[in-house]
Amino acid sequence: MIPQQSHSQTAYEVVIGVEVHAQLRTQSKMFCGCGTTFGLSANSQTCPVCLGLPGSLPVINKAAVEMAVRAGLALNCRIGEHNRFARKHYFYPDLPKGYQISQYEAPICEQGWIDIAAGEASKRVRIKRAHLEEDAGKNIHGAGAGVSVVDFNRAGTPLLEIVTEPDMRSADEVVAYLRSLRDILMYLGVCDGNMEEGSFRCEPNLSLRPAGQQEFGTKVELKNINSFKFVKDAIDYEIKRQTKVLSQGGTIQQETRLWNLERGETAVMRSKEEAHDYRYFPDPDLIHLKLEREWIEGFQGGLPELPAIRADRFVEQYGLPEYDAAVLTATKDMADYFEAAIQLFNQPKTVSNWVMGELSRELKTSGTTVDRSPVSPHRLVNLLEMVEKGTISLKVARDIFPEMYRSGQAPEQIVQEKGLTQVSDEDALATIIDDILASNPAQVAQFKEGKQQVLGYLVGQAMKVSGGKANPGKVNELLKRKLG
Ligand SMILES: [Zn+2]
């Protein structure tokens, strides 16, 4: 992407890399037995290890290592057999030990990639590394007059930090990458993907360079972004800001900037540290973690069908358009819902339309996820079968769906209670049609003069009078007969 031309007519290219901190869905923390439940009362999930008390010793959580290996395999990474944990030193009140246990020289995953949708085409984003580390606690400011407090419940929670190469060139590509990555981790069940609760945090870093230049410009890291919309807004803002600075002859400072949601702009948080500022060294309290090659490879066969592959299969197996396949496989639960319905009612495109249309609309309005949908795949299929058999019209089906959703009732029950069964009986329809013809003499005359399109209007009128219950095929047929 080439952003705006500057006053001096220099065009800049934006170069973006992304760091993601994904919280792993383990039962216990990275180096101790404390729980990882979100939202419990402050400091209720702590022990001497995660509080950093003297004399306590960390122990590596095997489940976290397994999750990192599975994620690494799904991200096409090389899994390191020789793992070291390192201490990353910095001082902050939410970090009681004065260092964070992370991985530096020997990360568990390296040199992977994922393909993302970039406009019409797909683009490969390289993953430089993914390493295990522990989370810090949380400072809470303004808890009382002039007082800040610390909650260590989150301290020691396992994170997988996933770092890309600087391969992205626009905010849209970054969002596409983040969506794909989040989908993959959620499919694997290693991260719940909840951005508001901080389970999936993204920190883009970006720099500008004159178009055509190989050398990178100075990069700025963006923090405090907890939705895909804010990712896009923050990057677009930062591109404009840096373009302006550079085109006025200024220089960009290497720094970390926070996205300020209220003001819609980024502001300096701190100047960026270099790796040597952290004085990394191997943690002497932890063993050198050696993973057996067979143990690693054992996970390969157990990986679930990932979103991109499942989308391809939906196109191939069900003949769905690529758009439908991408929407339906965006989450595992949605794809599972679709396939459960298809097992019962083998009309993929019809089911896809209902899932992407009516069902998604209700889910969105009520803020519900598809795994909690009050309309099960079975119920949806009941409704589609009623249309298929001609018991109700498509219009009635669409009308009663919101009620099925709200009440949890079966479609048969709603149709029966409301008397919505489709009218296909010719005598009953003939009465309606005679009325329509009598009250629309002008249209009848136009039809007889050869204006075929008037027929659609008359069918519409008949449907309206019948409250959507008339069988439109039959109405069409009878109208033609009577007008003919
Ligand atoms: Zn603990």
Side-chain angles (χ1 to χ4, degrees), residues 139-149:
N139 293 324
I140 300 160
H141 304 296
V147 176
S148 288
V149 293

Side-chain angles (χ1 to χ4, degrees), residues 17-44:
V18 179
E19 283 179 25
V20 163
H21 287 86
Q23 188 183 319
L24 298 175
R25 290 179 71 181
T26 51
Q27 297 289 313
S28 57
K29 293 185 181 180
M30 187 67 227
F31 301 109
C32 64
C34 293
T36 57
T37 310
F38 180 84
L40 294 190
S41 63
N43 297 307
S44 59

Side-chain angles (χ1 to χ4, degrees), residues 57-74:
L57 284 173
V59 177
I60 300 167
N61 182 335
K62 188 180 178 189
V65 175
E66 287 181 8
M67 288 184 181
V69 169
R70 294 177 65 236
L73 291 171

Side-chain angles (χ1 to χ4, degrees), residues 450-463:
K451 270 200 169 182
Q452 292 285 326
Q453 61 268 41
V454 177
L455 190 67
Y457 170 79
L458 295 171
V459 172
Q461 291 300 302
M463 293 304 293

Side-chain angles (χ1 to χ4, degrees), residues 150-216:
V150 195
D151 177 4
F152 291 110
N153 277 353
R154 204 179 66 180
T157 301
L159 300 177
L160 188 65
E161 179 177 328
I162 303 154
V163 184
T164 72
E165 297 286 355
D167 286 350
M168 287 156 277
R169 296 292 177 268
S170 69
D172 287 337
E173 287 186 10
V174 173
V175 172
Y177 164 74
L178 290 170
R179 283 190 188 281
S180 297
L181 176 63
R182 183 167 166 270
D183 287 348
I184 291 170
L185 299 179
M186 288 172 71
Y187 258 74
L188 292 169
V190 303
C191 176
D192 69 19
N194 189 324
M195 295 178 81
E196 282 181 8
E197 289 179 4
S199 307
F200 186 88
R201 286 169 247 162
C202 42
E203 290 158 13
N205 56 73
L206 73 152
S207 61
L208 298 189
R209 62 182 173 192
Q213 179 181 303
Q214 282 302 305
E215 195 187 329
F216 293 129

Side-chain angles (χ1 to χ4, degrees), residues 29 32 34 46-47 49-50:
K29 293 185 181 180
C32 64
C34 293
T46 54
C47 74
V49 173
C50 55

